[in-house]
């Protein structure tokens, strides 16, 4: 390619797509388009509007390092506030003019020189470089429960909240006790009369309280921007020191987190019978750790019922469990999670020699160091396969990946590179190293979770975020075929 501005298309204007677009703009890449299937930015923060939604990564760290926000109202920001932050950032960073809303890329095909793009409503576009920023947790997973469609009341998934449904005073069932079910339970306790929580598997809870930031501290952060940076770095250091290590290697961090969870359960739930029901069969962090100081208190309420008998079916009047009991309810909320392995779906991606991503990933999503895929030139992924997505700030991870992609784009703009694609050998070496590192992680200690791929291997990063940064600090040229 001759030196000059490559045309870059980003798929998705969620957290990572905006991150990439912002970095490209800052670096002077102007031939840039972000295709967004919805009518607003924000991705998962736009789609999830359920009561009690908040981010369990500290707000001062769950922000772009290049767009600090002094105005967070609490240490763990509410979902609506985070969504406002992304909308604001997209305007302040001059990105909105680059975003094509309601533009869903149905197909992207490499023609030997560039990608030809087709949207689901038939528009066409092209791109020299394609960046997939389509997120991980976007396809709601609906449970396969008999009779669900026969329910006479309102039933919906947590990520598709039906705001027309009145909740106060209603008999509400929440199915699922992941991060979402726990936040919902805390928020709906006292609103629902009663709230019935259906738990299939208990989960460990780390008691991190929601604390408001005072107007004084917000004013101080506005007045002294350095305080924001200090705060970001302090949280990053703390999160990486504790959670960055706890999940991936045995050590004091894992022991400490596990002990806090176990002690918290002992202290917060005094009833031995209830405690037994809430005691998970696996180790803390095997499933993604739940952060909540309000879940156990909610379960102590008389108008909150915990049901651990398995659900046999849903009937028009409610939820029937294996003990034969019908739990009569008016509303059913399915907090049953997402298909975390539906990377890029339903977009059809075609690379070299007609290779489709569906074929390349027949046995599961596999990439090169979380950012690229052999057979797909000039194609990069943000929060791609095996990204460090446990209890981390995905924003920090996306920034590392976007900086790496930017490095390649600088080479393309300078004309020294025309096409770049990771080799199959380097990718398979990387994936072998991943597999070898998995036994040290807590995710393989015997639980089922959305972390696990179809082959039972966690689709996560088995090292610390610092190793991710090191691996993506600069391209290892022999790992690529470059023209
Ligand atoms: P999840 O962690 O996958 O949990 C789904 C829950 O639904 C589990 O308790 C699961 O039980 C249960 N379930 C699924 N199918 C069921 C069925 N047929 N019958 C009964 N129970 C069923 O989903 P999530 O809570 O939506 O969270 C997903 C991820 O989203 C989180 O891990 C996190 O990464 C992210 N999230 C983050 C935040 C945040 O604050 N940052 C908030 C919410 C979500 P089993 O455990 O038995 O499978």
């Amino acid at each position: 390619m001759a030196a000059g501005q490559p045309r870059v298309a980003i798929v998705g204007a969620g957290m990572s797509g905006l991150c990439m677009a912002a970095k490209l703009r800052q670096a002077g890449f102007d031939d840039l388009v972000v295709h967004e299937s919805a009518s607003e930015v924000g991705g998962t923060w736009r789609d999830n509007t359920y009561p009690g939604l908040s981010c369990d990564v500290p707000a001062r760290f769950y922000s772009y390092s290049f767009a600090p926000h002094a105005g967070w109202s609490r240490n763990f920001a509410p979902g609506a506030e985070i969504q406002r932050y992304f909308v604001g950032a997209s305007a302040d960073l001059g990105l909105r003019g680059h975003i094509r809303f309601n533009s869903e890329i149905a197909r992207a095909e490499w023609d030997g020189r560039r990608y030809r793009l087709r949207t689901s409503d038939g528009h066409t576009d092209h791109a020299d470089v394609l960046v997939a920023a389509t997120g991980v947790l976007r396809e709601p997973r609906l449970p396969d429960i008999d009779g669900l469609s026969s329910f006479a009341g309102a039933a919906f998934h947590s990520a598709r909240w039906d705001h027309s449904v009145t909740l106060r005073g209603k008999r509400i069932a929440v199915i699922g006790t992941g991060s979402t079910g726990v936040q919902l339970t805390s928020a709906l306790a006292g609103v629902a009369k009663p709230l019935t929580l259906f738990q299939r598997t208990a989960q460990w809870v780390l008691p991190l309280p929601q604390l408001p930031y005072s107007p004084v501290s917000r004013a101080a952060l506005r007045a002294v921007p350095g305080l924001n940076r200090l705060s970001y770095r302090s949280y990053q250091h703390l999160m990486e020191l504790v959670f960055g290590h706890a999940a991936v290697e045995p050590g004091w961090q894992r022991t400490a987190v596990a002990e806090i969870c176990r002690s918290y359960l002992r202290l917060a739930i005094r009833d031995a019978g209830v405690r037994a029901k809430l005691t998970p069969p696996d180790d803390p962090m095997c499933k993604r750790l739940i952060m909540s100081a309000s879940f156990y208190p909610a379960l102590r309420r008389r108008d909150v019922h915990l049901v651990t008998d398995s659900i046999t079916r849903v009937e028009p009047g409610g939820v029937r469990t294996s003990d034969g009991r019908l739990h009569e309810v008016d509303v059913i909320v399915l907090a049953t999670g997402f298909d975390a392995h539906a990377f890029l779906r339903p977009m059809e991606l075609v690379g070299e020699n007609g290779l489709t991503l569906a074929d390349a990933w027949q046995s599961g999503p596999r990439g090169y160091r979380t950012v690229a895929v052999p057979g797909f030139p000039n194609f990069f992924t943000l929060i791609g396969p095996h990204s460090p997505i446990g209890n981390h700030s995905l924003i920090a991870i996306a920034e590392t990946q976007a900086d790496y992609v930017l490095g390649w784009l600088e080479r393309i703009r300078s004309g020294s590179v025309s096409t770049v694609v990771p080799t199959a050998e380097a990718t398979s070496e990387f994936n072998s190293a991943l597999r070898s590192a998995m036994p040290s992680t807590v995710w393989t200690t015997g639980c089922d979770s959305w972390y696990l791929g179809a082959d039972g291997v966690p689709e996560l990063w088995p090292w610390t975020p610092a190793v991710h940064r090191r691996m993506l600090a600069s391209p290892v040229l022999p790992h690529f075929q470059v023209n």
Side-chain angles (χ1 to χ4, degrees), residues 56 176-183 186 201-208 243 257 261 264 280 284-296 391 450-451:
D56 59 13
T177 49
S179 304
T180 305
V182 162
Q183 291 185 346
S186 306
T201 314
Q203 301 225 44
W204 289 106
V205 178
L206 194 70
L208 294 186
F243 299 112
V257 171
C261 292
Y264 177 49
M285 288 173 296
C286 186
K287 287 173 183 276
R288 187 178 183 276
L289 197 57
I290 310 275
M291 318 284 197
S292 175
S294 50
F295 179 56
Y296 290 160
N391 289 97
W450 63 262
Y451 286 168

Side-chain angles (χ1 to χ4, degrees), residues 77-134:
E81 223 172 279
I82 297 173
Q83 173 60 4
R84 279 199 298 280
Y85 168 76
F86 285 124
V87 173
S90 68
D92 297 345
L93 298 166
L95 308 179
R96 293 188 79 87
H98 290 277
I99 303 173
R100 277 195 208 159
F101 290 107
N102 305 306
S103 178
E104 181 185 61
I105 299 296
R107 186 180 164 87
E109 180 169 6
W110 178 251
D111 70 3
R113 244 169 24 95
R114 59 188 188 174
Y115 283 94
R116 294 184 176 283
L117 311 177
R118 187 165 48 72
T119 65
S120 50
D121 55 3
H123 284 89
T124 56
D125 194 1
H126 69 270
D128 300 305
V129 175
L130 181 64
V131 181
T134 47

Side-chain angles (χ1 to χ4, degrees), residues 60 63-72 85 92 221 225 228-229 232:
R60 301 229 179 279
S63 326
Y64 296 123
S65 64
F66 51 84
H69 180 53
W72 295 119
Y85 168 76
D92 297 345
L221 264 84
N228 237 322
R229 277 194 296 279
Y232 179 100

